[in-house]
Amino acid sequence: MVDSLDAELLHALQLDGRAPFSRIAEVLEVSEQTVARRYRRLRSAGVLRVVGGVDGTRLGYTSWTLRIHTTPDASAAVGAALAERTDTFFVHLLSGGTEISCFTQTPLDHAPLLDKLPRTSKVLAVSAHSLLHGFTIPGEWAGLAALAPEKADRLRYAPEPADGTATPDDQGLLAALAVDGRASHTQLATATGWSESTVRRRLENLRRSGALRIQLEFDPKALGYKAQARLWLTVRPSGLVDVARTLATHPEVSFAGVTTGATNLMAEVSCTDDAHFYRYLTERVARLDAVQTLETAPVLRTLKRIGTV
């Protein structure tokens, strides 16, 4: 479990994953050495990691949410293979261990993963739904909000926007950031073969344009959230946006997005235990009158989050 200072550090990194330890220390009112030591401990324990990810919409990609049913003996192997791919994220084993849920980003005219999965003998069924709009993302999860608003405002990354997108020349930079979003300019220069000034300029341009997102990857269980689940909801069209916006404000919800398919809204939920999950479903979701159907699937194991495995 993390203590109150750890929680504040997590929130600080959520607001700006590349914020210097000196600035975080100033806001948290502790020494820079304390912040660095805490960060290294949490990272080595697998509680957190800062990673860089590309916003696929800037490249004309379509985001998909996949539900994959496998034979009982194959889910772990299929899930591990999915996790190793560069085009997948948030790969979960669900329910009784025969279902996998994940996201993928693909070019509009080419979806190799969607083409390959149905031909895999151990895969019994695949449903793929296009993610039309996200109302919150894991990097903005309200459950991490441990800092007072005035302190959060001092750390939030909010630069002047700029035009631009990722190019093939950026692959080395993006690959290094997918492993460690806090890699120094010197380390990134070594990985790319660029000068440090070029790395600094290109990194900042990608961030300002929104093409690159520096995100905090964290383990909810280490933060005390033992019950995690995927929710699929059918919502009356006239109430869809209102329900999505409401879910996005719930501290239990780390992601909510409108999708195509038989259900039109999905969410990722983290609760402290099954009793908390029950109360959330029956006392909060149940009160949303526009929700017509609800399907839930507990997350048994997370094989991949945002960055590389």
Side-chain angles (χ1 to χ4, degrees):
M1 291 291 290
V2 300
D3 62 20
S4 59
L5 181 56
D6 290 334
E8 289 184 342
L9 175 56
L10 282 159
H11 190 194
L13 293 170
Q14 180 190 43
L15 295 166
D16 183 0
R18 288 189 64 84
F21 286 151
S22 58
R23 182 151 59 91
I24 295 175
E26 180 183 350
V27 174
L28 270 53
E29 300 176 351
V30 296
S31 70
E32 182 177 349
Q33 291 79 6
T34 296
V35 170
R37 184 175 64 252
R38 294 277 184 138
Y39 173 79
R40 288 193 294 268
R41 176 176 60 80
L42 292 171
R43 194 181 192 285
S44 63
V47 174
L48 66 80
R49 184 169 62 145
V50 176
V51 296
V54 176
D55 182 356
T57 60
R58 298 274 178 165
L59 302 175
Y61 285 12
T62 297
S63 293
W64 300 86
T65 175
L66 307 181
R67 297 182 69 178
I68 304 157
H69 292 269
T70 70
T71 57
D73 62 318
S75 59
V78 173
L82 287 169
E84 292 289 345
R85 295 179 61 95
T86 59
D87 58 353
T88 61
F89 47 104
F90 288 106
V91 181
H92 300 305
L93 295 186
L94 303 178
S95 304
T98 59
E99 183 178 0
I100 302 165
S101 175
C102 75
F103 289 100
T104 186
Q105 294 184 123
T106 64
L108 290 175
D109 58 349
H110 182 54
L113 178 58
L114 301 184
D115 293 338
K116 183 177 181 180
L117 277 172
R119 297 197 297 269
T120 304
S121 61
K122 297 290 185 177
V123 172
L124 303 178
V126 178
S127 61
H129 304 293
S130 175
L131 179 62
L132 301 178
H133 186 78
F135 284 81
T136 186
I137 59 176
E140 299 170 353
W141 183 40
L144 288 181
L147 293 169
E150 61 272 16
K151 288 188 174 183
D153 288 341
R154 292 167 61 188
L155 285 166
R156 184 173 287 106
Y157 180 78
E160 290 294 323
D163 294 329
T165 187
T167 70
D169 292 339
D170 296 315
Q171 290 307 307
L173 176 63
L174 297 173
L177 290 168
V179 176
D180 182 5
R182 289 189 62 86
S184 69
H185 293 130
T186 300
Q187 292 170 320
L188 294 173
T190 300
T192 59
W194 297 346
S195 67
E196 288 189 36
S197 60
T198 298
V199 165
R200 186 177 293 105
R201 184 175 62 253
R202 189 60 187 149
L203 175 57
E204 186 59 20
N205 182 261
L206 288 170
R207 291 192 75 187
R208 290 175 59 197
S209 70
L212 170 66
R213 292 177 175 173
I214 302 296
Q215 296 178 277
L216 177 66
E217 186 179 273
F218 58 90
D219 180 6
K221 289 184 178 180
L223 306 181
Y225 295 92
K226 306 300 184 183
Q228 301 165 61
R230 279 280 176 92
L231 275 56
W232 292 272
L233 304 91
T234 304
V235 181
R236 189 173 63 246
S238 61
L240 181 57
V241 172
D242 285 343
V243 170
R245 286 175 175 165
T246 299
L247 288 181
T249 67
H250 292 173
E252 293 88 353
V253 175
S254 59
F255 175 82
V258 170
T259 72
T260 60
T263 57
N264 54 5
L265 182 63
M266 70 158 298
E268 289 204 3
V269 172
S270 295
C271 296
T272 54
D273 52 30
D274 287 341
H276 178 193
F277 185 39
Y278 172 76
R279 290 194 304 273
Y280 176 68
L281 294 178
T282 58
E283 298 176 9
R284 306 202 66 184
V285 178
R287 292 179 181 175
L288 301 173
D289 291 337
V291 175
Q292 298 173 322
T293 67
L294 170 65
E295 182 182 356
T296 65
V299 174
L300 297 184
R301 185 151 52 103
T302 297
L303 302 177
K304 181 181 184 181
R305 293 186 176 90
I306 306 167
T308 56
V309 176

